Amino acid sequence: MTRRSPSSVVDSYSSLPVRQPNSFTGFTYSRSQPSNAPSAAPSVASGSSATRSSKASQSFLLADMDGRSVKDNRACATCISQLQPHEVSQINWHLDQDEDCRLCQVAATKPEAFTKPFCDFLTENPTVFHTVDYCKTKLHNAGYKELPTRDSWAGKIHAGGKYYVSRNGSSIIAFAVGRGYKTGEAPGFGIVGGHIDALTARLKPVSTKPNKAGFLQLGVAPYAGGLNETWWDRDLAIGGRVIVRDPNTGKVSSRLVRLDWPIAKIPTLAPHFGVGIMGQKNKETQAVPVVGLESTGDNAQAERLGPEGAFVNTQPPKLVKLISKELGIASHTDIVNWELELYDSQPAQTIGLDRDMISAGRIDDKLCSWGALMGLLATEDKDDDTYIKMTALFDDEEIGSKLRQGAGGTFLPSVVERTVEALNPDTYGPGLKGQTYSKSFLLSADVSHAGNPNFLGEYLPDHTPQLNVGLVVAGDSNGHMTTDAVSTAVLSRVAELVGHTLQPFQIRNDSRSGGTIGPMLSSMMGCRAADAGMPQLSMHSIRATTGSLDPGLGVQFFKGFLDNWEKVDNEWEH
């Protein structure tokens, strides 16, 4: 979530039940629990453009079992019998009587089944570029096809098809067309949108700094609210993307890199100096990371790794050599440029006496974005679906969404409109486009504030969300959120259908609300929309806290919304 106010991995699965809130009974619904055992794989519809995988294989993907330790991949015989051979080889058949089958848990959308996959995701995908790459891999493995934006989409999108599109390597949109869609109709879109950027510190165009007091330092600049007080004395790693030219072909490509051991640190000043442990908090002069100690002969200013004007001459030579070695680049001058950033190197992990919370970096807004992607991958594939299920994950929300890969750009409307055009090449026009947006709904999914027990006076009574309870519906009387009575009723109906608990949140009158992608996208497209997301403590800290069940609760609701938007839309008088 973008701040608007002025400055003022897991050892065991949780068996905790979803908590019941104290004061939100008006939002509470119930349902009977689905069977634990996945159903047999359905047959492929005649003439369908996409095949269905078995429920167990779908759960294998969602449980993130591929490539993980076999000892943790425990499953029952019923599920194992439905898996593909390469999946079976990664399963532990030894399931004790008191152990749950992980595949059954995922198939039943039990929140505790998603705790470990989420923590692994956060730890292994620290930058926006790694996150998009992760999404592409998941989507590809689930049968989604990539649509290059430079190509024509004519004849490439069909009923029952599943697709994804990316922009800048830092934003991605994925969607599944209903099998029952008929050409000539205006399809409704159920869209869950989130952002995958997070507060960070990015290397400057010239990141080489003069050595001081025997230390090597690195020139970085804050992205959004990065380098705030919570970044001091943290163990920071480096990752991002490197632009590389192939010396044989001359082609330029992007390579991902992650140096995930602690490399940098921003040291505080001892209180004995009388100016506070963080000095005067000058981010340019006092929040400069140290990355090592100078040795005899060290002179970053004098050492040159390339010819005059080469990019590598603007960066610390030791870092250039380290990146080159990590990526197997023989000549340093093959590095054309890079976008690297610092991030908290400590892994995401469960904490608390009952391990009922998650402590991690980059929870805002990878918590909701990951849940939205998993929710899409977990959706049902029914023959009578005519709407389109979509997840859109954006970069640059924390700095206003104004760049081309941000929600304020053309990415989402362009994908929606090109999809409708590809499905209706003979009838597409302003009329069909307008009908499509009128039948669509945007769930702007960004994290919200859980009640902080030490600062409850800063919250409105009865508007204090709790962890491990359910989705938070965020309102704002001044339009910083796109939620209204209609969209709240829609979310309440979805919650009723899937047995989910909603929680209300609004900021006090003497505070200012944060911002999301909801208002800009809903006004741009004209579709109904709501702002809602999972709660967390310590928003915009380098390390925040959410509930251990909240990732799974997000998957549960986002899946329910995508599966039921067509049904809910048809219940309204229009």
Side-chain angles (χ1 to χ4, degrees), residues 115-322:
T115 305
K116 184 179 187 301
F118 176 68
C119 288
D120 289 340
F121 159 75
L122 279 184
T123 301
E124 297 165 4
N125 300 278
T127 76
V128 67
F129 307 113
H130 289 87
T131 300
V132 168
D133 186 67
Y134 169 93
C135 293
K136 285 184 175 183
T137 300
K138 286 291 184 185
L139 290 162
H140 174 78
N141 291 341
Y144 284 69
K145 298 178 180 178
E146 184 168 13
L147 295 171
T149 55
R150 297 167 66 99
D151 295 352
S152 169
W153 294 358
K156 295 182 179 179
I157 301 179
H158 308 281
K162 299 178 179 182
Y163 312 93
Y164 66 90
V165 191
S166 65
R167 179 176 283 190
N168 188 48
S170 61
S171 293
I172 189 165
I173 295 174
F175 61 96
V177 183
R179 288 179 176 270
Y181 175 76
K182 305 296 182 184
T183 298
E185 299 174 352
F189 281 73
I191 307 169
V192 183
H195 72 89
I196 48 180
D197 61 318
L199 275 63
T200 187
R202 293 182 171 174
L203 271 63
K204 292 180 177 179
V206 180
S207 68
T208 301
K209 302 282 289 185
N211 297 345
K212 291 183 179 181
F215 287 100
L216 305 180
Q217 291 189 286
L218 186 67
V220 298
Y223 174 86
L227 295 183
N228 62 39
E229 292 86 345
T230 65
W231 282 68
W232 296 63
D233 287 336
R234 297 295 307 186
D235 295 337
L236 305 173
I238 294 179
R241 69 175 174 183
V242 180
I243 309 303
V244 180
R245 176 176 283 108
D246 188 315
N248 298 316
T249 65
K251 293 288 187 180
V252 179
S253 62
S254 177
R255 303 271 301 277
L256 298 183
V257 67
R258 189 185 72 188
L259 308 177
D260 55 1
W261 68 92
I263 289 177
K265 193 159 195 168
I266 304 170
T268 55
L269 184 66
H272 309 72
F273 288 90
V275 292
I277 64 171
M278 298 174 190
Q280 302 305 313
K281 305 177 184 177
N282 186 308
K283 293 183 180 181
E284 179 62 35
T285 62
Q286 296 177 325
V288 183
V290 297
V291 293
L293 301 175
E294 66 179 343
S295 56
T296 304
D298 264 348
N299 190 342
Q301 300 295 317
E303 185 176 4
R304 291 290 182 263
L305 299 180
E308 188 69 26
F311 168 76
V312 291
N313 292 340
T314 67
Q315 308 300 313
K318 285 187 177 181
L319 180 60
V320 172
K321 294 175 183 177
L322 192 57

